[in-house]
Amino acid sequence: MSKNKLLSAILVLTAYALSLGATYLLFSETPLAAKSTVSLPTASISGNMLFDETLPKTEPCPLNGTLYSKQQKDWWEKHRPVGIMIENHEEARPQSGLSSADVLYEAVAEGGITRFLAIYHCNSAEIVGPVRSARTYFLDFISEYGTSPLYVHVGGANQDGPADALSQIEDYGWVGLNDMNQFSIGFPTFWRDYDRLGHPVATEHTMYSTTEKLLQFAVAKRKLGAIDEDGISWAKGFIPYSFKENAPVEKRPATQKVHLEFWTEAPEYAIDWIYEPVANIYKRNNGGKPHTDFNNKKQLTAKNIVVLKMIETSANDGYENNQHLLYRTKGVGKAHIFMDGKETVGTWRKDSRTARTLLFDNTGLPIKFDKGTIWFEILPTDGILTVK
């Protein structure tokens, strides 16, 4: 055999061997082969997670019952809930990331201006903000979400007295652990963007982050993933709500409009939830205009609206214009629950700061929610609620 023929034979045999090896790695039951078939989520440049939306949705989110893929569940089971303070000043709209939250709470922060506590666990938001300061009553709500839930804010009320949120955070043992105050974290987890909204805004309306950056910081710097350093799961003590299927289309009303005014002297913060029967959702208007998310330009929606009537009082702590507020978040009170285009008038009960806010219908039975976003509206007892 000539040298050329011998060389050709060797090359053919080598190519065949490589082909066999590749086939074996792809189709054998080795760990490497198994790993290559796993579909893993990745983060986009802007920070949100990219999930394969074609996968079967079989896994319920523990916070709101929405069904997602096993891929997405594998992701959320690696971290704990994160609650982020997001403002609702007119200059701050449209906010970023509200449409991605699993659960939201809205209450007046000061001067009739509402603020949100947006809680994320099963979904990721590419950018979230503007992030604002802590208030004591929001601490009571985030405390319901298991052991050491992440609480994200930029400073907070710190006047001596009952509304001193920063001192309360310290008393709860959160500082340096699950408290994620921008004052102690900074860039690149948080950053200011003066141009995001395309018009001049005050500095306090410019702080942003992403859920992925916050979760990564919690794991790397605070050792808080789904479990803590002592091996305790975040879900210890967490009480999930119960969920049901959507009402049949033929049993949904054609229209329903829920109108809320927290303070009558601040109409620009009035809310309208407008029911859409085909999708079985409520669309949100704020100050008479569709309330959208800057990230995706879509109108905010919710499957469940829960109006908690709570006693609102002034903290009387000597703060400028006496603006710090208190809400009686513990005890019992009246609740109005909206889903499937219908209203249920019942009661709420919360026994302690860390206890779950429980909801009951007028017969005393626990409320079962539709699977989807739950939006809590904290309405002063003298606020306005009308339903059409």
Side-chain angles (χ1 to χ4, degrees):
M1 183 180 293
S2 68
K3 283 186 177 181
N4 288 340
K5 288 184 177 180
L6 179 62
L7 182 59
S8 297
I10 291 172
L11 289 173
V12 169
L13 288 173
T14 301
Y16 180 70
L18 290 172
S19 175
L20 281 178
T23 302
Y24 177 79
L25 287 175
L26 284 171
F27 297 104
S28 71
E29 294 300 321
T30 64
L32 182 59
K35 185 176 181 181
S36 69
T37 62
V38 173
S39 177
L40 297 175
T42 58
S44 70
I45 295 175
S46 54
N48 66 317
M49 300 303 295
L50 302 176
F51 301 103
D52 185 349
E53 294 301 326
T54 66
L55 295 174
K57 293 177 172 53
T58 58
E59 309 304 310
C61 174
L63 269 59
N64 67 16
T66 302
L67 295 179
Y68 296 105
S69 68
K70 290 182 179 179
Q71 178 201 50
Q72 198 155 339
K73 181 181 180 181
D74 287 344
W75 171 76
W76 82 58
E77 284 192 330
K78 292 178 174 62
H79 61 256
R80 62 192 54 227
V82 52
I84 306 175
M85 297 302 307
I86 302 176
E87 64 166 316
N88 194 31
H89 193 284
E90 283 187 288
E91 286 190 17
R93 300 178 203 158
Q95 299 91 337
S96 297
L98 289 177
S99 64
S100 300
D102 301 312
V103 182
L104 298 103
Y105 296 80
E106 180 176 18
V108 173
E110 57 187 45
I113 303 171
T114 61
R115 189 165 297 178
F116 307 111
L117 170 65
I119 300 179
Y120 304 83
H121 181 59
C122 302
N123 260 329
S124 166
E126 50 186 313
I127 295 178
V128 179
V131 184
R132 285 298 296 272
S133 58
R135 291 293 185 268
T136 179
Y137 32 96
F138 289 114
L139 301 183
D140 292 346
F141 296 127
I142 189 62
S143 293
E144 298 186 19
Y145 289 84
T147 303
S148 301
L150 304 177
Y151 182 61
V152 180
H153 58 104
V154 179
N158 62 351
Q159 190 84 2
D160 287 343
D164 188 352
L166 295 188
S167 291
Q168 290 164 3
I169 288 171
E170 188 172 355
D171 291 343
Y172 301 157
W174 291 5
V175 175
L177 187 63
N178 57 308
D179 177 53
M180 304 199 50
N181 187 348
Q182 182 270 335
F183 287 0
S184 61
I185 296 176
F187 184 84
T189 303
F190 292 92
W191 70 90
R192 291 198 180 276
D193 187 342
Y194 290 89
D195 300 318
R196 183 166 177 78
L197 298 180
H199 58 80
V201 296
T203 297
E204 61 264 29
H205 308 313
T206 62
M207 187 66 73
Y208 295 90
S209 186
T210 74
T211 50
E212 196 61 19
K213 284 180 179 290
L214 294 164
L215 294 171
Q216 288 173 357
F217 181 91
V219 171
K221 303 297 184 180
R222 304 289 176 80
K223 310 302 180 186
L224 288 177
I227 61 174
D228 63 19
E229 285 189 292
D230 298 321
I232 299 174
S233 168
W234 76 267
K236 182 180 180 181
F238 173 69
I239 299 175
Y241 288 126
S242 296
F243 301 95
K244 65 176 188 63
E245 297 301 321
N246 289 332
V249 175
E250 64 272 15
K251 292 187 177 181
R252 301 174 194 170
T255 62
Q256 185 185 56
K257 181 177 178 181
V258 182
H259 178 76
L260 298 167
E261 293 181 36
F262 299 89
W263 288 17
T264 54
E265 60 268 39
E268 63 272 33
Y269 296 96
I271 305 301
D272 289 304
W273 287 104
I274 302 166
Y275 181 61
E276 210 295 304
V278 176
N280 198 26
I281 57 173
Y282 292 84
K283 295 182 176 180
R284 178 182 165 96
N285 284 0
N286 199 165
K289 301 175 183 177
H291 194 171
T292 59
D293 188 324
F294 188 92
N295 288 352
N296 55 26
K297 309 303 185 283
K298 294 181 180 179
Q299 188 172 7
L300 299 177
T301 65
K303 288 284 285 186
N304 310 273
I305 311 298
V306 182
V307 179
L308 303 176
K309 288 194 171 182
M310 294 185 172
I311 296 173
E312 176 194 274
T313 58
S314 171
N316 293 316
D317 57 6
Y319 184 68
E320 181 183 359
N321 298 322
N322 208 19
Q323 292 189 89
H324 285 161
L325 300 172
L326 299 173
Y327 285 90
R328 198 190 72 175
T329 59
K330 295 174 280 292
V332 296
K334 194 172 185 180
H336 298 254
I337 301 97
F338 300 90
M339 68 179 110
D340 300 320
K342 299 177 182 179
E343 176 184 17
T344 298
V345 180
T347 58
W348 63 265
R349 191 185 85 218
K350 183 173 169 68
D351 297 331
S352 66
R353 173 177 64 86
T354 57
R356 190 67 152 145
T357 300
L358 302 176
L359 294 149
F360 306 92
D361 64 19
N362 57 8
T363 68
L365 292 176
I367 293 292
K368 289 186 177 182
F369 290 107
D370 281 346
K371 299 170 184 176
T373 307
I374 305 173
W375 198 303
F376 290 91
E377 303 282 17
I378 313 306
L379 186 70
T381 50
D382 60 352
I384 293 175
L385 167 63
T386 57
V387 185
K388 296 180 181 179

